[in-house]
């Protein structure tokens, strides 16, 4: 890793850099190492575009009518990002904001793309254009605040932002870590995901939303709940659920999960099993920890409404440690399944705490791996306590801020306005907190 940190700025393959940066957060690396890695990648991107035109000249912009917000993403396609953000784009206040979308990845012709495009005031598929030409398109559209939803994930094109096509540039939602780049002004977060002192992990300034920074589609449908037999689960016993991308499953979490299977007779661990190699590897690792293969149950991929329905069959969702669940945790909570998380020391390991805090379920946020394991065991062996927790989640699911999409959008809009006000005054970016909207009580 140290060698990769030293050489990241010198490498020429941007996809390799993005993969390295993203996957580094799935490893137990200290925040300083991850910061250095991002800083090297950001510097390389900036140096590769430094001889090109900086499209926007650094000076306060003249007054205009509605703020023009541009959303840049490679995931305007069948992807969790399109599910999360559909209501966000539609709910923007059109009296104050003009909303533009820029698709830089695959998805042309898909139903998801068409439905998303309809939620914007203007939508452009610019995937075939060069980075600098995309920058020119954004600049020509007079975008005031450009919001990158991808960071260093697949299909992202950070070079576009390096050309500085907009006076204020922001990262949000899709990549919860620094890009290490001076051409990004702000990252949108919250105080649980980025607690005091966390600024050291970021090159960007932080815009703190008052509740969770996460947004979810509060109109997402759920199909009728199947039976356990229909989902391939045993009729009795505790079902621990861990529907994570396999790359996020680190040995420490897996060790805990296997110990829980030993400690809770008749329990099973429900995992995603789309990839035969993943099934084989996890089954082998379970056997190495004296866990019978029939204690690991693998679920196939389903349409979202049916996936949400089957989540209701589980008893407790177990979060990963280095890289917490994002959309999958929200899916579980939306379906009424409690999620147990453990807060770590880097931004990605505090996503679960952000979600649960905004759902007013702090009792499901643990601070050490020992507490995480013991809390899971306690809940699994005390049916009455687990039932009360599920009832509390059911009551708060439609009342707490996490699933109040309109409230989240109002806070995000206020963050954009506060960024713009600083820019209009000629002031440099600075971290700030958005006050809670009194018009929509939490």
């Amino acid at each position: 890793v140290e060698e990769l940190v030293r050489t990241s700025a010198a490498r020429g393959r941007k996809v390799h850099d993005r993969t390295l940066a993203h996957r580094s957060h799935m490893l137990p690396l200290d925040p300083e190492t991850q910061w250095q890695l991002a800083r090297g990648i950001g510097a390389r991107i900036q140096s590769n575009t430094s001889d090109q035109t900086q499209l926007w000249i650094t000076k306060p912009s003249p007054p205009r009518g509605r703020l023009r917000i541009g959303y840049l993403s490679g995931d305007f396609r069948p992807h969790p990002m399109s599910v999360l953000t559909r209501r966000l784009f539609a709910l923007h206040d059109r009296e104050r904001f003009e909303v533009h979308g820029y698709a830089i990845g695959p998805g042309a012709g898909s139903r998801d793309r068409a439905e998303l495009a309809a939620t914007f005031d203007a939508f452009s598929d610019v995937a075939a254009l060069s980075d600098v030409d995309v920058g020119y398109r954004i600049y020509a559209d007079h975008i005031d605040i450009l919001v990158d939803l991808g960071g260093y994930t697949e299909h992202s094109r950070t070079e576009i932002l390096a050309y500085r096509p907009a006076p204020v540039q922001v990262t949000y939602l899709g990549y919860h870590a620094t890009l290490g780049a001076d051409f990004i002004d702000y990252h949108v977060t919250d105080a649980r995901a980025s607690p005091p002192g966390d600024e050291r992990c970021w090159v960007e300034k932080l815009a703190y939303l008052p509740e969770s920074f996460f947004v979810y589609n509060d109109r997402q449908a759920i199909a009728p709940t199947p039976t356990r037999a229909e989902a391939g689960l045993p009729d009795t016993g505790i079902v621990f659920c861990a529907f994570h991308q396999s790359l996020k499953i680190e040995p420490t979490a897996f060790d805990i999960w296997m110990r829980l299977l030993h400690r809770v007779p008749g329990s099973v661990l429900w995992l995603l099993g789309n990839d035969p190699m993943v099934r084989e590897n996890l089954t082998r690792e379970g056997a190495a920890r004296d866990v019978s293969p029939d204690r690991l149950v693998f679920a196939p991929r389903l349409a979202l409404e049916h996936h949400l329905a089957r989540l209701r069959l589980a008893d407790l969702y177990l979060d990963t440690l280095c890289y917490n669940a994002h959309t999958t945790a929200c899916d579980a909570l939306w379906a009424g399944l409690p999620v147990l998380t453990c807060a770590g020391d880097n931004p990605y390991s505090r996503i679960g705490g952000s979600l649960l805090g905004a759902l007013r379920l702090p009792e499901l946020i643990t601070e050490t791996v020992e507490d995480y394991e013991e809390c899971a065991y306690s809940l699994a062996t005390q049916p009455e306590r687990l039932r009360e927790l599920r009832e509390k989640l059911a009551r708060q699911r439609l009342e707490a801020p996490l699933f109040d999409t309109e409230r989240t959008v109002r806070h995000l809009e206020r963050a954009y306005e506060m960024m713009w006000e600083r820019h209009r005054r000629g002031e440099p970016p600075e971290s700030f907190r958005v006050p809670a909207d009194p018009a929509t009580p939490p």
Side-chain angles (χ1 to χ4, degrees):
V1 171
E2 290 177 356
E3 178 63 22
L4 291 172
V5 169
R6 285 195 298 271
T7 60
S8 63
R11 289 196 311 274
R13 295 186 61 192
K14 61 184 179 181
V15 172
H16 186 209
D17 279 353
R18 281 158 173 67
T19 302
L20 171 65
H22 191 202
R23 294 189 178 181
S24 74
H25 298 286
M26 303 175 191
L27 302 173
L29 302 178
D30 63 273
E32 176 64 24
T33 298
Q34 289 171 329
W35 186 91
Q36 290 184 37
L37 177 59
R39 196 64 169 143
I41 294 170
R44 179 194 61 76
I45 291 173
Q46 194 151 19
S47 67
N48 286 352
T49 57
S50 62
D51 59 343
Q52 302 288 332
T53 301
Q54 296 296 292
L55 300 176
W56 177 79
I57 305 300
T58 307
K59 63 181 180 180
S61 298
R64 199 167 49 235
R66 296 184 295 170
L67 268 182
R68 293 189 179 183
I69 309 297
Y71 286 98
L72 181 73
S73 179
D75 295 323
F76 292 143
R77 58 190 173 101
H79 186 273
M81 178 64 70
S82 70
V83 175
L84 294 173
T85 55
R86 192 164 306 171
R87 285 273 287 156
L88 185 163
F89 306 136
L91 284 171
H92 271 306
D93 182 352
R94 273 9 193 227
E95 292 186 1
R96 295 153 53 213
F97 299 92
E98 184 178 308
V99 187
H100 293 241
Y102 299 94
I104 54 173
S110 67
R111 176 182 174 183
D112 294 68
R113 172 69 61 82
E115 291 179 351
L116 277 170
T119 66
F120 289 90
D121 296 301
F123 189 88
S124 303
D125 184 344
V126 293
L129 301 182
S130 68
D131 294 333
V132 70
D133 285 341
V134 176
Y136 274 116
R137 172 71 64 85
I138 294 167
Y139 178 75
D141 288 340
H142 302 290
I143 296 301
D144 299 311
I145 299 177
L146 180 61
V147 183
D148 175 51
L149 297 171
Y152 289 143
T153 57
E154 187 181 19
H155 302 301
S156 63
R157 292 167 61 181
T158 314
E159 286 78 1
I160 294 168
L161 290 96
Y163 292 114
R164 184 55 93 160
V168 178
Q169 302 195 148
V170 183
T171 54
Y172 175 53
L173 198 60
Y175 190 81
H176 189 60
T178 185
L179 299 192
D182 294 328
F183 50 80
I184 306 295
D185 302 304
Y186 295 97
H187 177 79
V188 178
T189 185
D190 62 70
R192 281 192 181 271
S194 303
D198 197 58
E199 290 86 354
R200 64 190 175 89
C201 298
W202 301 86
V203 172
E204 304 85 348
K205 299 302 180 183
L206 299 180
Y208 295 92
L209 300 193
E211 287 121 12
S212 178
F213 74 93
F214 219 74
V215 67
Y216 193 81
N217 179 4
D218 60 2
R219 292 184 178 176
Q220 178 58 53
I222 304 178
T225 306
T227 66
R228 276 193 168 194
E230 288 171 334
L233 293 168
D235 291 334
T236 60
I238 289 291
V239 175
F240 294 110
C241 183
F243 282 176
H244 303 279
Q245 183 183 359
S246 60
L247 288 170
K248 299 180 184 181
I249 302 176
E250 68 274 272
T252 301
F254 194 75
D255 285 342
I256 292 172
W257 300 347
M258 296 302 99
R259 287 198 296 269
L260 287 169
L261 293 182
H262 282 295
R263 296 175 69 186
V264 183
S267 62
V268 297
L269 178 65
W270 203 13
L271 300 156
L272 289 177
N274 302 317
D275 188 333
M277 183 178 294
V278 170
R279 296 196 297 271
E280 179 183 342
N281 289 343
L282 292 178
T283 301
R284 183 186 65 246
E285 290 300 319
R289 294 160 174 81
D290 297 320
V291 172
S292 173
D294 63 359
R295 304 289 296 280
L296 304 184
V297 180
F298 293 96
R301 186 180 297 277
L302 293 179
L304 180 56
E305 60 270 24
H306 294 284
H307 168 67
L308 293 170
R310 71 180 172 186
L311 282 167
R312 291 172 163 168
L313 300 172
D315 295 290
L316 184 64
Y317 190 100
L318 300 174
D319 206 355
T320 39
L321 304 177
C322 294
Y323 194 113
N324 289 171
H326 298 41
T327 308
T328 49
C330 271
D331 286 342
L333 293 167
W334 181 249
L337 174 61
V339 174
L340 180 67
T341 194
C342 181
D345 64 353
N346 68 74
Y348 270 108
S349 65
R350 293 191 289 263
I351 299 292
S354 170
L355 304 180
L356 291 164
L359 202 51
R360 301 200 193 101
L361 288 171
E363 59 266 50
L364 287 170
I365 306 170
T366 60
E367 301 295 333
T368 68
V369 291
E370 293 80 14
D371 288 345
Y372 170 81
E373 180 173 351
E374 290 310 310
C375 186
Y377 175 74
S378 176
L379 290 171
T381 54
Q382 298 182 49
E384 182 64 20
R385 185 181 171 202
L386 189 56
R387 182 185 65 79
E388 291 174 355
L389 192 60
R390 291 185 75 113
E391 290 175 352
K392 182 178 179 181
L393 171 56
R395 289 194 305 270
Q396 296 181 179
R397 172 176 167 268
L398 299 179
E399 298 175 0
L402 180 62
F403 294 126
D404 188 341
T405 309
E406 184 169 1
R407 179 176 173 83
T408 301
V409 173
R410 297 289 86 81
H411 290 151
L412 184 61
E413 290 176 338
R414 184 60 188 137
Y416 292 157
E417 289 173 331
M418 293 172 74
M419 295 172 191
W420 189 249
E421 287 163 8
R422 287 195 65 86
H423 165 71
R424 287 279 296 117
R425 293 194 299 264
E427 298 172 357
E430 192 54 76
S431 296
F432 63 89
R433 294 179 183 272
V434 175
D437 184 0
T440 51

